Structures are given as structure tokens and as C-alpha cells.
Amino acid sequence: MNRQGDLQVDQPVIGIVGSAGAYGVWLRRFFEQRMGLGVLGHDPADAGSDPPARLIEEADVLVFAAPIRQTPALISRYAQMSAGRERGRLWLDITSLKQAPVAAMLESQAEVVGLHPMTAPLKTPTLKGRVVVVCEARLDAWRPWLRTLLEALQGEYVRTSPAHHDRVMALVQAMVHAAHLGQAGVLRSFADSLGGPAALMPYRSIGFEMDAAVIARILSLNPEIYEDIQFGNPHTGEMLERLGAEITRLRTLVSRGDEAARAEFRSHYLAGNRDCWGDEAVAEGSYTFERVGYLLADLTETRRLSVHLPQDRAGSLRALLHVFEAQGISLSSIHSSRTPSGEVHFRIGFDDGADLDALRRAAEAIDSSGVGRVLERP
């Protein structure tokens, strides 16, 4: 076994502080099932969780997955309780802000890395395709294991300092949330006269539907996270001031309404911003918007099947498609996604003129043959 002193660095014991939270639960499953590691966890919300003293004594890697507002003080408390026993071990945090948590971890004698997965906990077993920000603050003997961890997580990684991370997050997170929460407030202010979001959705554009989805996502998750992202980032105030100034400027131009105001609008909001973004970024973003639009259009198909393939093996999808071929049914779209329980399923759309009887026969054949399990049928 490869050990540093009496600490295991190739098969470490993991300790999760905040093990009953959404990310704590996800991390336990990841470390146990994906990496085959032993996991300890403490959380005040779980009376049966391990006591902090056990994590301090036995955990080679300590991961802080607590609420943003509580994390720096919590880390400092663990550093005091550890009293030097953390020397040679690795401490990580996964909060949405990095300066304060990393500074608190550096009060300890552990090696220190700040991580920020740019996503809520997923239904998937890894973070494949999702951005993870990595802030290496003090790292030496644990560098090879960190590489192993990042490979197992399968994320898309960007490395930076905690200070730069927090400045960027004021734009990437706080500004996005603030703008959408502002939109939600405007929609609420018009609800008495025009109806709420459900009443507006029949009139939707792609942009409105996408913005509404972001608003709904924010409102569906833990409000404490969004509160802390606004109030906990020292750079939020500057961002909100600039955002407010842009909205105020636009309102002033619209109020004037003359040709000079229109010219300033074109120059400042359209041409100026396009120059800043650059032609390539504008073209790529526009193409992404188009692709999302096509996906949203596919999701409106009224004749559709949703199917789970229980056997994840080569040929499973081909066998599923053969069922439709045998019934003489043409597909108009097919998309894969995950159910709330995390199962992969395929959403298959058909033209409005598709034969309903043939679709029902296909659904019965899928269920009876064991090829898949039909979750939604016409």
C-alpha cells in the first residue's frame, strides 16, 4: 500500500461534512460506488451520521459539502478540533464561493483544494460534460490522487485562483440568477392583469420558454443556495450596480424614443456588445440557441413514446428501433434523458398523422418482448 506516514493515499477513507445534503448524498454514492472507497459522513440533519470526532480521526480526505454561509466557520471549527492531526491529509470543499472556504481550509495543516461543480447534484453517476472549477491552494503528496478523483468525476475542468473564481461567479452565477429573479418579479407584477407564467406560455417564443425554464429551475431548488450566492459574494454589489445601470440606460432611451435614442441603442446594446463577443462566439451561441429551439419543438409532439431500456448493452437501441420498423412506423425525433429516479429513457416522437393503433401495438411489443419498458404511451 502507498501511504504517507500512517495515512492511505491510494485508497483513502473519505469523510463528508454535510452528508445528508443533496450533494453530500450524491458524493457518498459516487465515492462508494464509482471509486470503491469507504465513506464516513456527518450531518446535523441525520441523527445516525458519524460524529465529527470520527471523521477527524479516520478520514484521509475531508470534503466540506455544507451550506455556503456556514462553510468557512465550519471548516475553522474542524481545523481547531483536528489540532494538527490533519497534517498530511487532504481537505476539499465544493461550495459555490471559494475565497472564504479556501482561506479557512488553509488555517489547517492539511493539503487544500477548492472545487466548484457548476451544476446542482445530477441524476447521473458522474459529472460528465459538466464544468468543475478547481482551485489548488496547497497540494503536494495528494496531487496524483486528485488527478484520479477528477478522472473519475469525468468533468470539464478549469483551474483558477479563489479570488478570480469569486469575481467570475458574480457574473456567471449571481448575475444570471439576479436577472432571472428580476424577470420573475416583473411577471408576478403583471399576473393580476395578464395571468401567471402558465397563461403566458401559449404565447411563448423560444427565448421566453428558455428563460421561464431557468426561473423555474431556480425556484425549484434550495433557496438558501441562491440567497448565499447573492449575499455571500463580495463582488455581487458591483455587478448589480452595473446591471442596474444598463437597464436604466435602456429605459431612458426607450422613454426618449427619438431617432438619436434608437441610434444609441443600436450602437451600445447591439453593435458594441457584438464587437465585444466577437463573430465566432456570436455564431456559436446563435447555433446553440437554434439547437435548443429544435429540441423544444420536438418536445411538443403529441404522439410520442417514452421508453426505458433496462439492459444497457450494445444493440439495445437497434432492437428498440426494429419494433417500430416492424410496425411500419416512421420516427420524427428521438432524444435520450433521465427520469427523476435517474433511469435513462428515450423519448420518441412521431408525426401527427402516425397510426395510433400501430403505435399502441409497438408499445405492447416493447413491453412484452423485454426490449424495454414503456413509461409514456399515446
Side-chain angles (χ1 to χ4, degrees):
M1 294 291 184
N2 179 24
R3 291 179 179 273
Q4 180 179 327
D6 62 346
L7 301 176
Q8 182 111 7
V9 295
D10 57 353
Q11 288 290 309
V13 173
I14 309 296
I16 300 174
V17 180
S19 55
Y23 245 117
V25 171
W26 189 92
L27 285 168
R28 178 185 285 276
R29 184 167 57 246
F30 168 79
F31 283 121
E32 289 179 342
Q33 299 179 8
R34 197 76 181 182
M35 297 190 73
L37 301 176
V39 178
L40 303 172
H42 173 74
D43 198 301
D46 179 7
S49 64
D50 300 297
R54 186 178 179 195
L55 272 66
I56 290 169
E57 189 65 35
E58 300 182 27
D60 303 311
V61 176
L62 201 58
V63 184
F64 294 91
I68 300 170
R69 190 176 185 181
Q70 301 173 15
T71 296
L74 188 63
I75 292 170
S76 295
R77 192 154 62 247
Y78 269 76
Q80 293 171 2
M81 291 188 294
S82 295
R85 284 174 290 175
E86 75 281 5
R87 185 183 299 112
R89 304 187 186 189
L90 176 64
W91 283 15
L92 309 170
D93 86 291
I94 60 163
T95 55
S96 297
L97 296 173
K98 289 272 81 78
Q99 278 186 278
V102 169
M105 288 192 291
L106 287 173
E107 294 174 4
S108 75
Q109 298 182 44
E111 296 189 25
V112 172
V113 178
L115 300 175
H116 181 192
M118 297 297 296
T119 177
L122 301 173
K123 302 181 182 75
T124 53
T126 72
L127 298 177
K128 185 176 182 179
R130 306 304 178 109
V131 171
V132 180
V133 184
V134 181
C135 298
E136 296 180 5
R138 185 165 62 214
L139 188 64
D140 183 18
W142 284 95
R143 186 175 297 279
W145 186 84
L146 178 70
R147 188 180 306 116
T148 299
L149 170 63
L150 298 183
E151 288 173 355
L153 283 170
Q154 298 181 327
E156 179 183 331
Y157 301 104
V158 56
R159 287 171 165 79
T160 189
S161 67
H164 187 256
H165 168 277
D166 287 2
R167 290 201 67 190
V168 169
M169 287 307 114
L171 304 181
V172 172
Q173 283 193 314
M175 183 176 71
V176 172
H177 300 164
H180 282 91
L181 289 170
Q183 289 182 50
V186 172
L187 293 174
R188 187 176 75 247
S189 73
F190 280 98
D192 288 343
S193 58
L194 295 176
L200 300 175
M201 198 56 70
Y203 302 89
R204 68 192 179 277
S205 65
I206 295 172
F208 180 83
E209 188 170 5
M210 290 169 62
D211 277 358
V214 175
I215 293 170
R217 179 65 169 174
I218 291 171
L219 298 178
S220 72
L221 297 179
N222 184 352
E224 189 174 272
I225 294 174
Y226 295 97
E227 176 185 328
D228 286 348
I229 285 173
Q230 295 296 324
F231 287 83
N233 191 331
H235 307 290
T236 298
E238 178 187 2
M239 175 277 296
L240 290 173
E241 184 176 349
R242 296 193 189 194
L243 180 61
E246 291 293 336
I247 296 297
T248 298
R249 181 173 184 173
L250 177 57
R251 182 183 63 186
T252 300
L253 293 177
V254 172
S255 296
R256 282 170 46 195
D258 55 19
E259 284 303 316
R262 287 173 175 265
E264 185 176 339
F265 171 82
R266 291 192 298 269
S267 174
H268 180 75
Y269 288 99
L270 300 179
N273 286 332
R274 184 185 177 97
D275 289 344
C276 177
W277 282 61
D279 290 343
E280 184 177 353
V282 167
E284 289 180 358
S286 179
Y287 178 55
T288 297
F289 185 91
E290 283 186 22
R291 287 190 294 169
V292 173
Y294 287 126
L295 172 60
L296 292 174
D298 286 346
L299 295 179
T300 65
E301 292 162 325
T302 56
R303 301 200 175 183
R304 59 185 182 267
L305 285 173
S306 292
V307 182
H308 169 57
L309 300 183
Q311 297 184 8
D312 185 11
R313 56 180 175 79
S316 293
L317 181 57
R318 184 169 61 248
L320 173 64
L321 297 179
H322 179 72
V323 174
F324 298 107
E325 182 181 355
Q327 295 292 334
I329 301 171
S330 296
L331 281 60
S332 63
S333 67
I334 181 168
H335 299 280
S336 65
S337 61
R338 288 186 178 268
T339 65
S341 63
E343 293 182 341
V344 176
H345 79 270
F346 291 90
R347 185 189 184 282
I348 304 166
F350 311 93
D351 292 334
D352 289 342
D355 187 329
L356 280 175
D357 289 335
L359 289 177
R360 292 183 182 117
R361 288 195 298 270
E364 292 171 2
I366 291 168
D367 279 335
S368 62
S369 67
V371 170
R373 185 174 78 252
V374 177
L375 307 174
E376 181 184 13
R377 63 186 71 219

